[in-house]
Amino acid sequence: NYLKDLCSNLSNEELIDPTTITGQDLVHKKPRKFPKGVLVRMVVSDKMNKTINVAMDRYRIVPKYRKRRKYTRKFMARNKKEAAKCGDMVVMIVLSQKLSKDKHFMLA
C-alpha cells in the first residue's frame, strides 16, 4: 500500500526510469544482462536446413577428486535466414514454442 501511494503521483516517463523510484538502491539483485530464457553460446553445427546446433558448456567440480569436469549440452535452434554459420561464437537464441521434437529455440 505504501508503494502504491508513493508511485501514484509519478508520470509514465518517471515510472519507466528506475532512478526516480525510491528504494531502488535497496534491491540486492543486479539487473539481468540478457532476458530470461535467452542463451548466448557457440554454434557447433549448421548442417541441417534452417536449423543450427548450439553448445552450452558448464563445469562442475567432482567432490571425490576435486577436479573440474566439463559437461556439454546441445540445443537445436531455428535459423530461418541461414544467418549463423558453424563456429560463430556469439549467437543469441530465444526460448519459443516447441517447433519440432527437439527444437524449441529461435535465433534472435
Side-chain angles (χ1 to χ4, degrees):
N1 202 9
Y2 168 72
L3 190 60
K4 186 177 178 183
D5 295 336
L6 188 69
C7 295
S8 62
N9 57 357
L10 296 174
S11 67
N12 286 339
E13 289 79 23
E14 292 172 332
L15 284 172
I16 291 172
D17 185 24
T19 57
T20 58
I21 300 174
T22 58
Q24 280 297 103
D25 53 337
L26 301 175
V27 176
H28 296 292
K29 277 188 170 181
K30 300 189 305 188
R32 290 178 179 264
K33 188 174 182 183
F34 299 105
K36 193 172 184 179
V38 172
L39 297 174
V40 177
R41 299 292 185 249
M42 190 169 113
V43 178
V44 177
S45 170
D46 63 342
K47 292 180 182 178
M48 296 169 275
N49 292 334
K50 297 183 182 178
T51 304
I52 55 174
N53 231 341
V54 180
M56 181 178 80
D57 296 332
R58 88 183 164 95
Y59 294 91
R60 196 168 156 242
I61 294 176
V62 180
K64 184 176 180 180
Y65 302 111
R66 295 195 177 119
K67 299 284 183 184
R68 288 190 333 159
R69 178 141 190 246
K70 182 179 177 182
Y71 294 92
T72 303
R73 174 93 195 266
K74 291 183 183 177
F75 298 102
M76 286 189 184
R78 185 171 188 190
N79 186 14
K80 192 173 183 180
K81 297 179 183 176
E82 301 284 335
K85 299 294 177 193
C86 188
D88 287 354
M89 187 57 199
V90 180
V91 171
M92 186 180 286
I93 57 175
V94 182
L95 193 61
S96 67
Q97 67 180 17
K98 202 159 179 132
L99 300 167
S100 69
K101 180 185 171 190
D102 299 317
K103 197 173 9 173
H104 50 269
F105 281 95
M106 291 181 74
L107 188 66

